[in-house]
Amino acid sequence: MSKTIEHAGIVHRIYADHIEVMIIQNSACAACHAKKACTASDMAEKIIEIDTYNGNLKVGDNVTIAGSSSMGWQAVGFAFVIPFILMMSTLIFSIDYFEDELKAGILSLLVLIPYYIILFFLRKNMKQRFVFSIKE
């Protein structure tokens, strides 16, 4: 049985085919009582699109959105693991080829451009893979 990820949110916009829910993403220290004196705290508002919802919601309603925990691992893979592997493998192979660390470093960063372009063109597929729903 798959665990779920849940976030509290507020209905931001309602469209005919989907709804947008705004969640506030906090870093681990954002809730700390000393965060005003610290520059490490981080808070960001995120908009999540949800395709399936009941029609009883209105803008400003508090809701809880849920998704499977496997989506979190997939997101980590696409956002951090795959780019890291691409960069490191390119760096290792290009150091041997160019015998120049500067060129190898630049090429290992440039290899991310086609990766993110591919992700951009696959965004519809990714949207189908990462599906959240409103928890009743």
Side-chain angles (χ1 to χ4, degrees):
M1 184 164 118
S2 177
K3 293 183 180 181
T4 60
I5 300 170
E6 295 182 359
H7 285 283
I10 299 170
V11 175
H12 184 65
R13 287 194 178 107
I14 299 175
Y15 297 96
D17 60 340
H18 70 278
I19 187 171
E20 291 182 352
V21 176
M22 180 178 61
I23 63 169
I24 297 177
Q25 187 177 25
N26 294 328
S27 68
C29 56
C32 177
H33 67 281
K35 73 178 180 180
K36 290 183 181 176
C38 178
T39 60
S41 65
D42 185 25
M43 245 169 64
E45 293 179 352
K46 305 282 183 183
I47 302 292
I48 307 294
E49 289 184 11
I50 299 172
D51 291 332
T52 57
Y53 65 97
N54 65 25
N56 299 331
L57 297 173
K58 58 185 181 299
V59 174
D61 284 351
N62 290 320
V63 294
T64 301
I65 61 170
S68 69
S69 62
S70 65
M71 289 189 322
W73 289 110
Q74 290 176 22
V76 168
F78 285 119
F80 300 110
V81 176
I82 294 173
F84 177 76
I85 291 170
L86 282 172
M87 285 177 54
M88 292 308 292
S89 59
T90 304
L91 183 65
I92 290 167
F93 291 122
S94 59
I95 283 177
D96 288 340
Y97 181 76
F98 291 119
E99 296 180 359
D100 181 9
E101 291 176 358
L102 179 63
K103 288 180 185 176
I106 291 171
L107 184 62
S108 68
L109 291 173
L110 291 177
V111 77
L112 293 178
I113 294 171
Y115 174 72
Y116 287 114
I117 290 172
I118 290 168
L119 282 183
F120 176 77
F121 285 115
L122 294 175
R123 69 187 180 273
K124 289 182 182 176
N125 184 313
M126 299 293 250
K127 187 176 178 181
Q128 293 172 355
R129 181 182 292 241
F130 297 103
V131 178
F132 284 93
S133 61
I134 295 180
K135 187 176 175 184
E136 297 294 328

